[in-house]
Amino acid sequence: MTSVSTSDDPGQFDAVCVGETMVMVTPTPGGRLDAESTFVLRAGGAESNVAMFLAALGHRAAWASRVGADPLGDLVVDQVAGVGVDTSLVETDPTRPTAVYLKDPGPDGTRVYYYRRGSAAAGMDRAYADRVAGVPASVLHLSGITPALSETCRDLVDRLVTTRPAGRRLVSFDVNFRPALWTGDEADALLRLARLADVVFVGLDEATRLWDVHTPEGVRDLVGTAGTLVVKNGAVDAVAFHEGGTTTVPARRVEVVEPVGAGDAFAAGWLSGALRGLDQTARLRLGHLVAGAALGSVGDFADLPPVATICAELGITPETWHGTDQPAGTRA
């Protein structure tokens, strides 16, 4: 079982999540990307989504990135910080803009249009990686989006995955394959990063597209199980391969309003379970529960059920949830 040690040190985060967050432009429910609809602006980014859900789950989470010196950058930072995420690691670039993406919901799914080339976050580099790497955290969370943004971002991710100067910590990696961002070497690049991480999240559909594997076991054979591999199979189930064996938990039945962001929510739920020392089944259940909340929301972030409801769903006590049934620093 992947081990995560929490700390009572006020200078240590439970998790630092590194990656670009854009301004998401989305129609109000029932609208399309046209002149007749009204729109809302929201912060949208895989890694900040994870940080936001972790904060909502009671963890000390930080988001690290760069934004432009523009009103959109202010909007992003304010919204991420507004749910309790620490944004002190975020830098402002006066020469590059904050990226934007637009959602166009339709009867056959949601199309997404990105405007991120040359963004502030794409300018993140090894020097910024060294700043982030020096921040104590139990978990460092990354995704496969960041190395596709630029050569300097690829260098940043490589640096963070391969060097851990802040001490022993768990490196979490969500493959999060975005075909439009890559130029042809994505299969090898993302496989290499997955094999270096301690915890890997990947959808079976993206694993099939990337590596031509069609079963969770095929993904396991390719990526390996040096740590924990979590394979998500949409509305069917999620399978965790870990040193204790294999754990499978069926997905929850939920009404899907908007699927974008559900994978980030799942990762946050699983990581929250790991930080609390819950068993593999409870981690997957919590992943499904948090993902279900995201699926029912127009935005990437959504309100979560009360702690009492979460505990009942997981079959744990509130004392276990809050960590008051065991000495500090012993959760694993």
Side-chain angles (χ1 to χ4, degrees), residues 11-220:
Q12 175 165 316
F13 293 105
D14 290 329
V16 173
C17 306
V18 187
E20 179 171 55
T21 295
M22 300 171 284
V23 169
M24 175 181 66
V25 182
T26 184
T28 53
R32 294 293 304 275
L33 196 59
D34 56 37
E36 305 305 318
S37 298
T38 57
F39 299 86
V40 294
L41 304 181
R42 296 287 185 270
E47 299 82 7
S48 63
N49 288 342
V50 174
M52 292 166 75
F53 277 114
L54 282 172
L57 288 162
H59 299 285
R60 188 168 184 230
W63 167 58
S65 189
R66 285 180 180 164
V67 297
D70 48 45
L72 298 182
D74 294 339
L75 182 152
V76 165
V77 174
D78 289 348
Q79 286 197 356
V80 174
V83 297
V85 176
D86 186 290
T87 57
S88 61
L89 292 170
V90 178
E91 295 181 347
T92 300
D93 188 328
T95 65
R96 292 170 175 254
T98 304
V100 176
Y101 73 104
L102 299 91
K103 285 185 175 182
D104 186 19
D108 299 323
T110 298
R111 300 176 74 90
V112 181
Y113 301 90
Y114 295 97
Y115 300 88
R116 70 198 314 174
R117 188 180 300 276
S119 69
M124 292 188 295
D125 53 18
R126 177 167 288 224
Y128 185 63
D130 288 342
R131 179 189 173 198
V132 172
V135 177
S138 299
V139 173
L140 175 70
H141 181 73
L142 302 159
S143 89
I145 297 172
T146 306
L149 297 180
S150 67
E151 287 299 322
T152 60
C153 279
R154 185 176 296 203
D155 195 32
L156 169 136
V157 173
D158 188 74
R159 178 76 165 174
L160 289 173
V161 170
T162 57
T163 62
R164 308 183 188 188
R168 182 178 180 272
R169 65 183 175 196
L170 180 148
V171 173
S172 166
F173 180 70
D174 191 335
V175 172
N176 238 328
F177 176 44
R178 297 290 187 270
L181 292 175
W182 288 90
T183 57
D185 64 341
E186 58 268 24
D188 290 341
L190 292 173
L191 180 59
R192 174 179 175 273
L193 291 170
R195 286 173 170 170
L196 289 170
D198 302 307
V199 176
V200 177
F201 300 97
V202 64
L204 183 57
D205 57 344
E206 62 186 346
T208 298
R209 187 167 182 175
L210 268 171
W211 305 313
D212 195 29
V213 289
H214 302 270
T215 65
E217 291 74 18
V219 182
R220 175 202 60 197

